[in-house]
Amino acid sequence: MKPKLVVGNWKMNKSFDDAQDLILAIQESLKDMKLQTEVVLCPPFVYAELITDIAEEEDSQFYAGAQNCSEHASGAYTGEISAEMLASMGIEFCIVGHSERRKYFGETNAIIAQKIKLLLENDIVPIVCCGELLEERKAGKHTQVVQQQIEEALFGLEPKEFERIIIAYEPVWAIGTGETATPAQAQEMHAFIRSLVEQKYGTEMAYNTYILYGGSCNAKNAADLFMQEDVDGGLIGGASLKADDFVAIIQAGENVLKDN
Ligand code: PGA
């Protein structure tokens, strides 16, 4: 089993002081853990300098991430933040194509593909989200929907580019609802996604690609999810806002790795 990757997606939460307290509390808890699990924190843009400064300290065991970037490289796009700007701040990872961006900001697979290209050009690792709506799962279309998202957003990439991609499977019905996919549902979709990657880019790429689960993953259910063969970690929303909960999820990743 590969070491896990745990990513915290803070969404639009926390004041500056609360953000600083949370980052420092996580830094303190992880300091002595000798982690194999990789950790990324994605606070809102305005805390980019805060997170990169602390992430760069010697005893920090996490990377600095962002939650989004513009699909444009630069120019007259008031209010937007470019991939180049993020890179210039020291941001190393960026979530892209989250279902909330698809739903509230009209992001399509084509826009997401454009963002991924800009992130890669700026040496930022894209964490690319996919996942079906409840109606789509009920209609038995979940694999079809996810396949289309993955193909349209990612399969235009050259192997050299694709090898830097992280995928996050987040069933939309599980995000922020308290209703988690069962470990079996997660495993089934993750294995399916891996098979798509295998068909397109080969077995080695499929094995190496990190596929995270997101959607009401918390300190209680993380171990069961992380135990699944094709679940390489988690993209954590609500439970990443409290240091103890988030660190417990990271600890679950460590324990699963030790036991397997
Ligand atoms: P949640 O969010 O953990 O609060 O369900 C996950 C996400 O949206 O990334």
Side-chain angles (χ1 to χ4, degrees), residues 38 50 105 121 131 172 183 187 199 210 221 239 245:
E38 305 266 32
L50 178 67
F105 303 95
E121 280 170 16
V172 180
Q187 168 57 25
Q199 282 159 37
Y210 268 76
N221 59 30
D245 290 354

Side-chain angles (χ1 to χ4, degrees), residues 9 11 98 100 170 174-176 214-217 235-238:
N9 173 14
K11 309 193 181 184
H98 191 281
E100 287 150 18
E170 299 204 303
I175 296 178
S216 298
C217 181
L235 177 52
I236 317 299

Side-chain angles (χ1 to χ4, degrees), residues 15-27:
S15 66
F16 180 86
D17 286 348
D18 290 346
Q20 187 166 34
D21 288 349
L22 179 54
I23 297 168
L24 292 174
I26 293 169
Q27 182 193 39

Side-chain angles (χ1 to χ4, degrees), residues 72-221:
H72 303 289
S74 67
Y77 300 101
T78 301
E80 288 292 272
I81 310 278
S82 70
E84 191 180 3
M85 291 173 191
L86 294 177
S88 74
M89 301 292 295
I91 294 287
E92 296 185 83
F93 291 79
C94 184
I95 298 168
V96 57
H98 191 281
S99 66
E100 287 150 18
R101 302 235 32 113
R102 293 176 189 260
K103 180 174 173 194
Y104 302 123
F105 303 95
E107 270 186 27
T108 61
N109 293 330
I111 292 173
I112 292 161
Q114 185 58 28
K115 293 185 178 196
I116 291 167
K117 203 169 143 275
L118 289 165
L119 288 168
L120 290 173
E121 280 170 16
N122 285 284
D123 271 333
I124 296 175
V125 176
I127 302 170
V128 183
C129 302
C130 60
E132 80 285 358
L133 304 171
L134 184 58
E135 316 72 283
E136 292 165 339
R137 177 161 282 265
K138 280 189 176 154
K141 288 191 183 147
H142 44 294
T143 49
Q144 197 184 318
V145 169
V146 168
Q147 178 165 2
Q148 191 176 358
Q149 290 171 336
I150 300 255
E151 286 178 352
E152 292 183 9
L154 288 172
F155 282 3
L157 296 174
E158 298 295 325
K160 271 252 143 301
E161 297 170 315
F162 188 87
E163 70 185 14
R164 291 151 70 201
I165 297 292
I166 294 166
I167 296 173
Y169 168 58
E170 299 204 303
V172 180
W173 46 273
I175 296 178
T177 57
E179 190 180 336
T180 323
T182 63
Q185 283 171 324
Q187 168 57 25
E188 185 189 30
M189 185 62 89
H190 283 229
F192 173 69
I193 294 170
R194 207 178 295 287
S195 75
L196 295 175
V197 176
E198 182 166 19
Q199 282 159 37
K200 174 77 185 169
Y201 294 103
T203 310
E204 196 182 339
M205 185 82 89
Y207 176 79
N208 289 334
T209 301
Y210 268 76
I211 308 175
L212 311 181
Y213 169 80
S216 298
C217 181
N218 58 37
K220 284 207 184 90
N221 59 30

